[in-house]
Amino acid sequence: MPVTNSDIAAQLGQLAQLLRSQGANRFKVKAYRAAAEAIQNHPQRLSAVIAEGKPLPKIPGVGASIAAAINEIVESGGLTSVKTLAGKLPPGTAEIAHTAGLSIREAKQLATTLGVTTATQLRERLESEDIPSTLGRRLVYKARQGLHNAKRLLWSDANELAAHYQTALEAVKGIDRIETAGSLRRGKETVGTIRLVIRTTAPGAARSLRALLRRHEGIESLHNDSAVRTTCKLAAGPLLVVRTASAVDFGAALVEETGSLAHLQSVQALAAPGRQSARNPAATEKAWYAARGLPLIPPELREGRGEVEAALAGQLPVLVELGDIRGDLHAHTTSSDGANTIEEMAAAAQARGYEYLAITDHSKSLKITDGLDEKRLRRQMASIDRLNAKLPTSATFRVLKGSEVDILEDGALDFDDSLLRELDIVIASIHSRFALEKADQTRRLLRAIENPYVTCIGHLTGRKLLKRPGYELDVERVLKAVKRNRKLLEINASPDRLDVDDDLARRARELGIPLLVNTDAHSIRELDFMPFGIRQARRGWQSRDTVVNTRRLPELLRVLAATRRKG
């Protein structure tokens, strides 16, 4: 298996964590962390570049020493320095930290208190009821979540891995179509099993396919579940399930391998059998559903959460699509921690066919991002005015003036209202003090929502997928406050956030809260995160009319203005 950019980033991130635990220079630690993040988001697969004998492309923060580390990871699968530093810690500490996504301090506390030396032992203890109260409820929860996610991948990484196996299997004669299925096709934010459905045109194709899988270096073990289904354990962590089908039953196989068990049971229990029994083949998914008296249900909805009842009642929403989006309202530039200038981001947005882009750099309290103070923000606002003035009068594009304003610990905002009222959009976000008690964190957000000039709450729960759980909130109370104050809610499309999740997005729809789907782009390339957010919105039953940035510019400006109250 080729080493992915995520693999490289994980090793560099682990090295940074180990160096920090050993008291290394904080700038060195920061350098490895920054490089890990840059590599995670780099568009080229670095292992392929190295395999071709080419020099590494220029990546922010990657100098000679980190480039040497990247080469070592690609060539040997890991870093000697990681093994050396891990050996200086109590047995199992580094493994537990890496596997469960914990800090070295947290892993050491768990290992010492529970007397465990491996991630497997930790999992067994956490599954028991014998957990000392001195560990604290949040640490135990965080460790359980981390271990649960250990074999899971972000949707974006799982999709890349699936594409690798699709390419490999296309070489088998007698295969004419390969489709992803399962939770990957349903768009779940993390994936534990990659499913592929393969249409075969020759009797021996399935046998040849299994032979190829047995030889593949990325597969640790293989089990034939049946004549048509094979399960493989991948070295990368998740499982790979391959289902073969002939042309006449390809649609049925795709439905069966895509829908959750709850969805398929709902269809069986509620839908009309029609003229076909459940065992009859169907060449297309549409035919499979039609035979049961149902319209085609979009893959993102096939979770067994009322979609079959809605389909029978003719109440399925027409889901939002990527082509409906007319602009991005959360983007960063070199003024704070972005990689590109306002002009470059604006040109990239225009190239994507957008009508508008909001520049929302960080505010002053987030010092790690070089957040803007009042003077710098006013200078940026003037720059945006000058840029807009240069656009041709016939142009249908506009740069909006905004800020991602920090919500401080007490719920106050990082800028005074006198400045906020001059902005087109104010995204209020939490970036610190994640460990506040649930009641305090909730009060913090409620105060921010009450501010008359806040437009939108950004990445509501503060989670980072597979890295940290969100902070504790009375979510229902917060959502009702958003509705009461006529604010908007963001789906942050960054693939490691996707915050809010699909359940919260659907609850927002039920409450009548409009959403924004934003990329939180810190570079031109990250403007292409939009499909991830759209997929999340679709899972949350969002349609074109419930997503605000599907509006034309004049209507959008009216919606943004309507979120404000007179101070």
Side-chain angles (χ1 to χ4, degrees), residues 327-331 356-360 400 425 427 488 490 516-519 530 548-549 556 560:
D328 195 336
L329 296 172
H330 188 166
Y356 43 84
L357 175 73
I359 301 300
T360 55
L400 303 182
I425 181 169
I427 297 177
L488 309 177
E490 175 187 76
L516 293 173
V517 180
N518 292 327
T519 63
M530 188 62 77
V548 170
N549 48 321
L556 172 85
L560 297 184

Side-chain angles (χ1 to χ4, degrees), residues 20-216:
R20 184 173 183 270
S21 73
Q22 301 291 325
N25 181 291
R26 66 187 182 92
F27 293 107
K28 185 175 183 180
V29 173
K30 185 179 178 180
Y32 277 106
R33 283 179 173 164
E37 185 170 349
I39 290 164
Q40 175 77 47
N41 296 322
H42 192 71
Q44 285 179 280
R45 185 194 282 272
L46 300 185
S47 61
V49 174
I50 292 170
E52 293 172 3
K54 297 178 181 177
L56 288 173
K58 290 184 178 180
I59 302 173
V62 175
S65 60
I66 293 179
I70 293 170
N71 276 280
E72 184 183 350
I73 294 166
V74 171
E75 291 169 4
S76 64
L79 288 171
T80 303
S81 53
V82 166
K83 296 176 184 177
T84 301
L85 291 170
K88 297 179 180 180
L89 297 169
T93 302
E95 179 201 340
I96 289 170
H98 182 60
T99 303
L102 302 170
S103 69
I104 296 295
R105 178 186 60 77
E106 291 169 330
K108 192 182 294 185
Q109 184 181 355
L110 287 165
T112 303
T113 305
L114 299 178
V116 297
T117 59
T118 66
T120 300
Q121 291 175 359
L122 175 61
R123 182 180 283 106
E124 291 170 353
R125 281 299 304 275
L126 292 178
E127 288 173 354
S128 74
E129 299 298 322
D130 183 24
I131 306 295
S133 59
T134 53
L135 280 175
R137 178 172 54 87
R138 186 167 178 81
L139 176 56
V140 171
Y141 170 77
K142 186 177 179 181
R144 283 175 172 153
Q145 286 293 103
L147 291 172
H148 170 73
N149 292 330
K151 297 297 183 182
R152 300 185 71 82
L153 297 176
L154 296 177
W155 186 94
S156 54
D157 291 335
N159 189 54
E160 183 180 354
L161 193 60
H164 168 82
Y165 283 98
Q166 284 178 284
T167 300
L169 293 172
E170 284 170 355
V172 176
K173 290 183 179 180
I175 288 176
D176 71 346
R177 185 177 172 187
I178 303 177
E179 295 287 346
T180 58
S183 57
L184 182 64
R185 185 162 179 247
R186 298 200 307 275
K188 290 199 72 170
E189 55 211 17
T190 65
V191 176
T193 299
I194 294 170
R195 294 180 183 272
L196 299 178
V197 178
I198 299 175
R199 189 169 69 186
T200 59
T201 58
R207 194 163 50 249
S208 300
L209 179 149
R210 291 192 183 104
L212 185 150
L213 292 173
R214 287 191 187 94
R215 297 192 303 270
H216 197 287

Side-chain angles (χ1 to χ4, degrees), residues 139-348:
L139 176 56
V140 171
Y141 170 77
K142 186 177 179 181
R144 283 175 172 153
Q145 286 293 103
L147 291 172
H148 170 73
N149 292 330
K151 297 297 183 182
R152 300 185 71 82
L153 297 176
L154 296 177
W155 186 94
S156 54
D157 291 335
N159 189 54
E160 183 180 354
L161 193 60
H164 168 82
Y165 283 98
Q166 284 178 284
T167 300
L169 293 172
E170 284 170 355
V172 176
K173 290 183 179 180
I175 288 176
D176 71 346
R177 185 177 172 187
I178 303 177
E179 295 287 346
T180 58
S183 57
L184 182 64
R185 185 162 179 247
R186 298 200 307 275
K188 290 199 72 170
E189 55 211 17
T190 65
V191 176
T193 299
I194 294 170
R195 294 180 183 272
L196 299 178
V197 178
I198 299 175
R199 189 169 69 186
T200 59
T201 58
R207 194 163 50 249
S208 300
L209 179 149
R210 291 192 183 104
L212 185 150
L213 292 173
R214 287 191 187 94
R215 297 192 303 270
H216 197 287
E217 59 184 2
I219 294 175
E220 293 183 345
S221 61
L222 180 147
H223 176 72
N224 294 333
D225 304 320
S226 68
V228 296
R229 186 185 283 110
T230 300
T231 298
C232 308
K233 181 181 178 183
L234 302 182
L239 297 176
L240 170 68
V241 174
V242 176
R243 166 85 177 264
T244 56
S246 64
V248 294
D249 61 5
F250 181 76
L254 196 52
V255 171
E256 291 163 7
E257 294 296 331
T258 296
S260 71
L261 179 61
H263 171 75
L264 296 174
Q265 288 174 337
S266 292
V267 173
Q268 185 176 10
L270 299 172
R275 290 173 294 176
Q276 296 188 49
S277 72
R279 297 189 179 186
N280 284 134
T284 67
E285 291 181 295
K286 186 176 182 179
W288 190 93
Y289 281 104
R292 289 149 182 83
L294 290 165
L296 178 66
I297 297 176
E300 296 91 342
L301 300 187
R302 300 179 198 174
E303 293 287 357
R305 299 185 295 193
E307 69 278 0
V308 177
E309 293 89 335
L312 287 168
Q315 296 176 349
L316 278 179
V318 178
L319 299 181
V320 65
E321 297 181 1
L322 182 61
D324 295 328
I325 296 297
R326 299 189 182 278
D328 195 336
L329 296 172
H330 188 166
H332 299 268
T333 73
T334 50
S335 296
S336 63
D337 59 340
N340 296 97
T341 65
I342 296 172
E343 291 80 7
E344 289 169 342
M345 294 294 283

Side-chain angles (χ1 to χ4, degrees), residues 137-138 434-442 461 470-475:
R137 178 172 54 87
R138 186 167 178 81
F434 297 154
L436 289 180
E437 293 296 325
K438 181 177 181 178
D440 294 331
Q441 201 74 276
T442 300
T461 72
Y471 30 77
E472 294 186 275
L473 284 175
D474 184 338
V475 173

